[in-house]
Amino acid sequence: MPRYEVFCPATPPDVPADATVRVDAEHWLAALRAALRKVGGPEPSAHVLCDVQADGTIRASDPAGRVVYRIRELRDDRGG
């Protein structure tokens, strides 16, 4: 299963400080949901906007654009 690093910006009072967490998930949206559960943040809305960057990082936000999450898949460079 792929491993992801998810940056969750502070959204007081739910997430009082910026947090970066690593989670195992089937895909980036599942990684976002797992990370938010881990830090105590709200479930993402049913409509999430995403923008795939040139480096493969995904920027996901709610339609109102108040919060932007950064998600990237961690690659195993050891060949295994």
Side-chain angles (χ1 to χ4, degrees), residues 24-77:
D24 295 320
E26 292 289 328
H27 48 78
W28 71 267
L29 186 54
L32 175 59
R33 287 184 176 133
L36 288 172
R37 277 193 302 272
K38 205 173 210 184
V39 300
E43 180 77 15
S45 69
H47 303 285
V48 176
L49 303 173
C50 70
D51 183 23
V52 179
Q53 305 296 302
D55 66 356
T57 301
I58 296 170
R59 293 182 184 238
S61 64
D62 64 21
R66 292 182 297 252
V67 180
V68 178
Y69 304 97
R70 282 192 320 265
I71 305 134
R72 72 181 181 103
E73 185 175 350
L74 299 173
R75 304 282 181 184
D76 184 0
D77 294 332

